[in-house]
Amino acid sequence: MTGDGADADPIRIERWPDPACRFGFEDGTALVRAVNDPFEAVFGPATVGEPVATAMADLGVTTVSPDGFEAVLSGGGSVRVRTDGDAAATGGAERYLARTVPPEPDGEAVLAFVPLPEEGANGSVTIDVDQVASVVSHDLRNPLDVATARLRAGRETGDDGHFERVAAAHDRMERIIRDVLTLARGRDVVDPDETVALDAVAEAAWETVETADATLAVDGPLPTTTADADRVGRLFENLFRNAVEHGSMGPDMGTEPTDGVTVTIGPLDGDRTGFYVADDGPGIPEADRERVFEPGYSTDDHGTGLGLAIVARIAALHGWSIEAGESASGGVRFEVTGIEPDTP
Amino acid sequence: MGAGTDEADEDRPRALVVDDEREVADAYALRLRGLCEVETAYGGEDALRAVEDHEFDVVLLDRHMPGLSGDEVLERLDEGDFDGRVIMVTAIDPGFDVLDMPFDDYLCKPVDREDVRAAVTHQCTVLGYEVLGDYFGVESKRRVVEAELSTEERASHEEFGELQATAERLERRARRLLGDAADALDDFDAIGRESE
């Protein structure tokens, strides 16, 4: 498929290997003209002459952005769609990127579906029972402990401050549980269905991390994309926490954080769409750069080693990829690629 | 680091709670309120500094901390001249690695208020009797010397002056650790030491 709009022949959707639907406008409404075999196989049959939006809704194919099909049908651009879940049984994917190939002279256009990767390059992470047990027993114990102590103190003194700490501890437990679920059953808890300005999410995430002397530098605008804002916030939090906790360590890891680390976020250069998060800390040895995303990888024995695994998992569930490399100052540079920018 | 300087706390055992999570350290400090004079340290290095600056009877020590870990702090305390007791308070389930660790007690989080208070009280009692033993050793020397030599002779003797200060310090510490249970001090007074 060339996508060449100047070609006088109608686009041959039969050749398109993935679902495609040719449509034309009548009184401003896009109506189905034809669908190809993959469309019928994955989504089901569509009636010629029916409005495209209605046909897709009847087939259980919904957009994951608030705009709906209308915007993409008339204005071009792309939209993420999701099937109702049975598609996998028929050999299709659950998520697609739907694009409109520019209108033909006779007013016909094609809505073409590109399957989105189920999971990105780091999607193969799995979490085993031991790791879940370790998180449940280690990470949950502290907030539980805090809640118990504060609840008692609150009851004894009637001081509201104690109850606020109880609530904060409960919030933290909830976040930990979501983290474990993100790893163990990602698809059910990660829902990329909002238009998200990544820089705003990143800056909000920075505020929630105990960043001590560290500073955040923003080097240009990050893309706006369709994502799960809460989980992407978590992705940034974990990257920032990783930079702050390891970035300021001496190479022997036995010394206390001294100078504040600088964390820089920015868009990727060239035609790659995505962003990077870099720091000026000691970096990650080249041999370990892939392993850091494995659950349980940890250079000190403090954390559960799940932080970056969660990052990779969240990225993967958005169809993004993440890689660790070296920043200009010898620190770590994480690059998240494959982000499809939302067209305003 | 906030030292509890209530007058009532002056007579109580001194505890140091070490946990890199402030919320957790503060929660344990809260649990010990009324039982001890409590200070908190939010990291291993902080903990070692605190122990150098003040005399602590009991240290409650988290194992996993970034930077200097609780296990390392424990080793340093053991190698140095820290003479208090150490209770590990941790979310790590103990393995065989604890066999070589010089702690005095080990509590797994989450710990009930009653349990942490009982553990601290218990360590204070053990330490209290240890200190009491040291005190009796020093005090018996002081008393026999006091009985035999004149005030002037004693006042000019440097070593005796140090002995006297040590005896006073040990007595104060034993009393604050043992509280009302320090009645062995009265029994000690009742023993006749000079031949008559």
Side-chain angles (χ1 to χ4, degrees):
Chain A
M1 184 141 202
T2 60
D4 184 355
D7 195 327
D9 289 332
I11 295 168
R12 303 271 305 269
I13 59 172
E14 294 74 20
R15 283 191 188 168
W16 183 245
D18 293 308
C21 165
R22 192 160 63 229
F23 64 91
F25 281 96
E26 243 167 68
D27 298 332
T29 305
L31 303 178
V32 175
R33 296 269 195 252
V35 296
N36 65 358
D37 291 344
F39 184 101
E40 293 202 333
V42 173
F43 300 141
T47 313
V48 171
E50 198 182 3
V52 177
T54 312
M56 298 316 293
D58 289 349
L59 293 168
V61 181
T62 48
T63 61
V64 292
S65 65
D67 293 342
F69 277 107
E70 288 77 8
V72 72
L73 289 169
S74 54
S78 64
V79 66
R80 276 162 194 259
V81 302
R82 187 203 326 251
T83 65
D84 57 11
D86 296 338
T90 56
E94 278 179 27
R95 291 160 192 257
Y96 287 86
L97 190 70
R99 283 177 185 283
T100 304
V101 179
E104 295 295 299
D106 63 359
E108 291 207 342
V110 168
L111 183 64
F113 296 84
V114 184
L116 287 175
E118 203 48 46
E119 289 171 350
N122 306 108
S124 60
V125 289
T126 51
I127 179 166
D128 66 24
V129 174
D130 266 4
Q131 280 152 352
V132 175
S134 148
V135 173
V136 170
S137 65
H138 182 269
D139 287 21
L140 281 177
R141 278 178 187 174
N142 277 339
L144 181 61
D145 224 6
V146 170
T148 309
R150 293 289 177 178
L151 180 61
R152 178 163 185 149
R155 279 180 176 152
E156 283 172 1
T157 62
D159 179 354
D160 273 351
H162 292 302
F163 293 118
E164 279 162 25
R165 305 292 187 97
V166 174
H170 286 163
D171 285 349
R172 182 156 166 230
M173 287 189 257
E174 197 185 332
R175 283 201 304 277
I176 292 167
I177 291 165
R178 278 202 79 179
D179 276 355
V180 175
L181 290 179
T182 300
L183 280 176
R185 298 197 267 127
R187 222 160 305 143
D188 300 337
V189 288
V190 177
D191 234 348
D193 61 358
E194 308 156 68
T195 300
V196 176
L198 293 178
D199 15 29
V201 175
E203 281 169 43
W206 181 260
E207 296 305 317
T208 68
V209 176
E210 273 203 35
T211 45
D213 302 330
T215 42
L216 177 69
V218 182
D219 179 27
L222 266 50
T224 292
T225 187
T226 304
D228 182 329
D230 176 87
R231 292 289 87 192
V232 173
R234 190 65 176 167
L235 177 148
F236 280 111
E237 273 176 49
N238 286 1
L239 288 177
F240 293 156
R241 198 168 288 125
N242 182 72
V244 171
E245 286 178 7
H246 300 299
S248 49
M249 293 287 183
D252 62 346
M253 290 292 170
T255 52
E256 256 200 318
T258 44
D259 299 328
V261 64
T262 299
V263 180
T264 310
I265 58 172
L268 296 178
D269 295 336
D271 51 5
R272 295 179 307 162
T273 52
F275 63 88
Y276 70 87
V277 175
D279 67 52
D280 55 0
I284 301 172
E286 203 170 344
D288 286 351
R289 286 186 195 151
E290 278 183 35
R291 287 208 307 130
V292 293
F293 297 112
E294 290 171 11
Y297 177 87
S298 181
T299 48
D300 54 36
D301 58 354
H302 178 57
T304 48
L306 295 184
L308 292 178
I310 288 162
V311 167
R313 185 73 168 169
I314 293 169
L317 288 163
H318 281 84
W320 307 340
S321 302
I322 183 163
E323 270 182 40
E326 192 173 344
S327 71
S329 55
V332 192
R333 178 180 163 108
F334 290 105
E335 287 190 353
V336 178
T337 52
I339 296 176
E340 191 70 38
D342 275 4
T343 41
Chain B
M1 220 161 346
T5 47
D6 296 16
E7 267 188 58
D9 276 352
E10 290 289 293
D11 310 326
R12 297 199 175 114
R14 290 176 194 161
L16 176 68
V17 178
V18 187
D19 200 305
D20 61 304
E21 285 190 53
R22 285 161 188 259
E23 277 288 315
V24 175
D26 294 349
Y28 276 88
L30 198 61
R31 286 182 165 124
L32 295 177
R33 213 150 64 174
L35 185 71
C36 307
E37 181 191 337
V38 191
E39 283 190 25
T40 46
Y42 303 129
E45 300 280 357
D46 266 3
L48 291 179
R49 269 195 296 274
V51 166
E52 266 174 40
D53 293 348
H54 297 97
E55 182 179 63
F56 286 101
D57 301 310
V58 179
V59 174
L60 284 88
L61 188 56
D62 181 33
R63 284 185 71 183
H64 273 189
M65 293 188 290
L68 200 62
S69 77
D71 291 8
E72 287 166 310
V73 171
L74 178 66
E75 255 173 59
R76 304 260 186 109
L77 290 178
D78 187 52
E79 288 161 5
D81 48 12
F82 176 71
D83 61 357
R85 313 285 290 182
V86 182
I87 304 175
M88 306 307 283
V89 181
T90 173
I92 307 177
D93 292 322
F96 285 120
D97 56 332
V98 303
L99 293 179
D100 297 325
M101 290 170 57
F103 55 73
D104 299 297
D105 205 345
Y106 195 106
L107 301 177
C108 289
K109 290 178 187 173
V111 190
D112 284 342
R113 179 176 181 268
E114 283 65 32
D115 287 331
V116 69
R117 291 172 76 94
V120 168
T121 304
H122 180 244
Q123 290 305 323
C124 286
T125 307
V126 174
L127 180 63
Y129 282 113
E130 235 176 65
V131 171
L132 201 58
D134 292 346
Y135 165 69
F136 290 150
V138 173
E139 178 66 1
S140 59
K141 287 180 197 155
R142 192 191 69 80
R143 290 202 185 187
V144 290
V145 170
E146 188 180 57
E148 295 303 321
L149 299 164
S150 72
T151 312
E152 293 73 32
E153 284 172 296
R154 296 193 318 253
S156 60
H157 195 276
E158 197 183 322
E159 199 182 335
F160 182 79
E162 280 172 17
L163 185 82
Q164 194 146 15
T166 304
E168 279 165 18
R169 186 177 60 78
L170 289 172
E171 185 185 355
R172 267 202 312 277
R173 194 174 188 194
R175 283 192 189 280
R176 97 177 169 235
L177 285 166
L178 295 171
D180 297 336
D183 47 9
L185 285 159
D186 303 329
D187 302 343
F188 181 79
D189 288 342
I191 301 171
R193 289 188 177 75
E194 296 86 41
S195 58
E196 219 32 77

